[in-house]
Amino acid sequence: SYCNRSVEGAKTQAILMSVFQTLKQRNAKPTITDIQGKWKVHLGPMPAGGPWTMVVRGDKSQLQVENILMGEVWLCSGQSNMKHYVRDSADGGHEVATANHPQIRLLEISCLHSPEPQEDIDLSLNQDSFPYESYPPEWKECTPDSIPIFTAVGYFFGREIHQELNVPVGLINASWGGSACEAWINPAFLREFEEFQPILDREQSAHVTSKPGHMFNAMIHPLIPFALRGVIWYQGESNAPRSYQHRNLFPNLIYGWRDLWGQGDFPFYFVQLPNFEKECTEPEEGDWQEMRESQLMTLATTRNTGMAVTLDLGDPNDIHPRNKQDVGKRLARVALAKTYGKDIVAYGPIFDSMVIKKHQIFLSFHEIGDGLVTRDGGPPIGFAVAGKDRVFHWADAEMIDDQVVVSSPDVPEPLAVRYAWAKNPFFNLYNKNGLPASPFRTDTWPGTTLSNK
């Protein structure tokens, strides 16, 4: 009996090898289903373009998929400022009416959540807590009919990439308003760190938008291992009260996605929180400042990341500013420079180092592009200094040879500098390429969110 099975197995293998050789000669990719009927084919790199037709043939049936494009695919994710619709952006009516881009393709992932990782986008998971429209998970061409309630930041990013590279662009939107960072993390990563145990302990009582791993399970996991060029991300408002925790939470989100995708350290570009609420009149502490710092730290410590500074693109009266065009363009600048090798400046100035000389502090920056400049042509503003008493006072500042020199008559022995350290700060430091400097501080004194878990 064993010998008979061996002979039959050898015959089957020989037949399969013959079939595979025939398929290869026809420029086809062969594969075999597993016991559940699942199968996978890896296609090699192909030139951008199309449209193409793909035929999948089985023993008794075949499936033909038409109008396929090859190009750059980006996943757009985060909370409401990523979810924010094109129709609700600045000049939304015009943007919708002119959105005729057949080589930009859109895939909307409905807002779903699950305690367990899902293999498919299952619309039944929305249950009673579903806050947005439900969409069948299907690719659509970018038209005035398909674009109105697609992510504005994602669309403006993708449009810029498409126009600059002249290649097809696919955009996958998986975002949910009000969602916390931990909802998008592979829960296995959360369980590896004791510092995240308070998050796991809150799972049963947490709102849907902050249940650890639930959005990852239902909206991100089913996309793996769909080939991506990279990810753009706009989130942080919901985690601002826990900004110190976010310092480790956010990098672990990035590590977790890359680990499961198995496509290496793909680009992960994100938006630093914009200005919001009333403009400050005195140096102030706060959670949005610390969230921007956390995002800046992720940029500095996590491989192949990028950050769009949007300090000048917010709205004091609206947590959802309508100018999503410039947000998308700044993310696209990062991608064009870092991913596609274009000779453009990706960032505004980022603090590098400081030197204390008597009553003055000399600040140096990288990413200065063609040089430092102030937006209004006046002296730099938004800088504050403190001595050993840790009390900050507004500083006098001047630019000397692409450095900023700060001092204050109220601080004869300065130890630390902060710039644009407020929820809606005074500021004017840019590079000559039109990009604003990121807020920063030189001290490591405890912040307002240090103990929040």
Side-chain angles (χ1 to χ4, degrees):
S1 175
Y2 174 80
C3 292
N4 288 339
R5 287 200 300 272
S6 298
V7 170
E8 291 301 317
K11 288 181 179 179
T12 301
Q13 186 176 13
I15 293 171
L16 287 174
M17 291 300 295
S18 176
V19 170
F20 281 11
Q21 290 298 324
T22 301
L23 289 172
K24 287 181 179 179
Q25 293 171 4
R26 296 178 180 174
N27 197 30
K29 291 280 187 177
T31 189
I32 301 175
T33 64
D34 64 15
I35 194 170
Q36 284 85 30
K38 295 181 180 180
W39 58 273
K40 183 189 300 182
V41 170
H42 287 278
L43 303 178
M46 297 182 182
W52 308 105
T53 297
M54 180 176 67
V55 178
V56 182
R57 291 190 178 93
D59 288 340
K60 299 179 181 179
S61 62
Q62 74 175 37
L63 173 67
Q64 182 166 306
V65 184
E66 299 180 342
N67 196 19
I68 298 173
L69 298 180
M70 300 295 174
E72 304 297 291
V73 179
W74 288 84
L75 173 58
C76 316
S77 191
Q79 59 179 112
S80 55
N81 270 308
M82 181 62 82
K83 188 74 177 178
H84 195 87
Y85 299 150
V86 172
R87 72 182 183 194
D88 297 328
S89 64
D91 204 9
H94 173 75
E95 295 290 6
V96 168
T98 57
N100 288 295
H101 302 287
Q103 288 205 329
I104 296 178
R105 301 295 170 86
L106 316 173
L107 177 60
E108 180 74 28
I109 306 301
S110 291
C111 295
L112 310 171
H113 63 97
S114 171
E116 301 296 333
Q118 301 297 305
E119 296 299 321
D120 298 301
I121 303 298
D122 184 356
L123 296 181
S124 68
L125 294 172
N126 57 30
Q127 301 171 349
D128 297 329
S129 57
F130 189 68
Y132 297 106
E133 295 88 342
S134 178
Y135 308 98
E138 60 186 18
W139 286 98
K140 298 179 180 179
E141 291 187 1
C142 177
T143 68
D145 291 328
S146 64
I147 202 62
I149 53 177
F150 196 71
T151 163
V153 169
Y155 168 61
F156 297 129
F157 166 86
R159 185 176 68 182
E160 198 78 6
I161 297 296
H162 171 58
Q163 292 174 343
E164 288 291 327
L165 301 181
N166 194 30
V167 298
V169 172
L171 301 170
I172 304 173
N173 180 34
S175 53
W176 190 328
S179 57
C181 183
E182 58 264 29
W184 298 100
I185 294 182
N186 178 358
F189 270 66
L190 290 173
R191 290 190 285 269
E192 290 184 9
F193 298 91
E194 184 177 349
E195 64 182 296
F196 299 145
Q197 188 59 45
I199 293 174
L200 297 171
D201 292 341
R202 291 194 295 268
E203 179 173 2
Q204 295 305 316
S205 60
H207 295 295
V208 168
T209 51
S210 58
K211 286 185 177 295
H214 280 222
M215 292 172 196
F216 171 85
N217 288 337
M219 299 174 65
I220 301 300
H221 191 270
L223 302 175
I224 301 170
F226 195 96
L228 300 176
R229 175 62 69 188
V231 174
I232 58 171
W233 175 263
Y234 195 156
Q235 194 275 338
E237 299 92 334
S238 292
N239 286 86
R242 294 179 281 121
S243 293
Y244 269 75
Q245 183 189 65
H246 184 267
R247 294 179 178 187
N248 290 327
L249 201 62
F250 187 33
N252 274 286
L253 180 148
I254 298 171
Y255 298 146
W257 287 22
R258 288 172 172 172
D259 180 66
L260 285 182
W261 241 281
Q263 296 177 17
D265 293 337
F266 53 67
F268 202 107
Y269 303 145
F270 50 90
V271 179
Q272 191 183 53
L273 291 188
N275 52 316
F276 180 49
E277 295 187 346
K278 66 179 181 180
E279 201 167 34
C280 73
T281 57
E282 295 295 334
E284 62 178 8
E285 303 280 354
D287 56 5
W288 273 48
Q289 300 90 296
E290 293 169 23
M291 173 53 68
R292 294 186 190 120
E293 180 180 51
S294 173
Q295 293 167 323
L296 183 61
M297 293 172 73
T298 298
L299 174 68
T301 61
T302 308
R303 283 175 50 83
N304 207 14
T305 56
M307 184 179 75
V309 176
T310 62
L311 195 62
D312 54 346
L313 302 181
D315 184 334
N317 302 309
D318 192 348
I319 200 171
H320 304 121
R322 289 167 58 84
N323 181 3
K324 294 296 191 280
Q325 289 88 337
D326 286 328
V327 179
K329 287 179 180 179
R330 287 185 185 172
L331 283 169
R333 286 184 73 109
V334 178
L336 290 168
K338 292 174 61 67
T339 300
Y340 300 110
K342 297 291 184 178
D343 185 19
I344 59 174
V345 176
Y347 305 121
I350 295 176
F351 170 73
D352 185 59
S353 62
M354 76 171 189
V355 175
I356 300 176
K357 297 181 180 180
K358 296 183 179 180
H359 67 283
Q360 295 178 311
I361 297 181
F362 290 71
L363 303 169
S364 297
F365 299 82
H366 58 91
E367 306 296 337
I368 64 173
D370 295 330
L372 294 182
V373 69
T374 58
R375 178 176 52 183
D376 54 7
I381 60 174
F383 290 88
V385 295
K388 62 182 180 181
D389 62 359
R390 301 187 180 186
V391 177
F392 280 88
H393 300 266
W394 290 123
D396 298 319
E398 60 178 330
M399 287 190 296
I400 302 176
D401 297 331
D402 285 329
Q403 286 187 314
V404 176
V405 182
V406 297
S407 63
S408 170
D410 298 315
V411 187
E413 297 181 0
L415 294 177
V417 179
R418 294 181 178 181
Y419 170 70
W421 198 259
K423 198 166 189 176
N424 188 359
F426 297 117
F427 66 96
N428 66 352
L429 187 63
Y430 282 66
N431 58 26
K432 292 180 180 178
N433 308 88
L435 298 172
S438 171
F440 69 91
R441 62 173 176 156
T442 65
D443 65 274
T444 58
W445 299 330
T448 62
T449 67
L450 176 62
S451 301
N452 297 343
K453 303 298 181 182

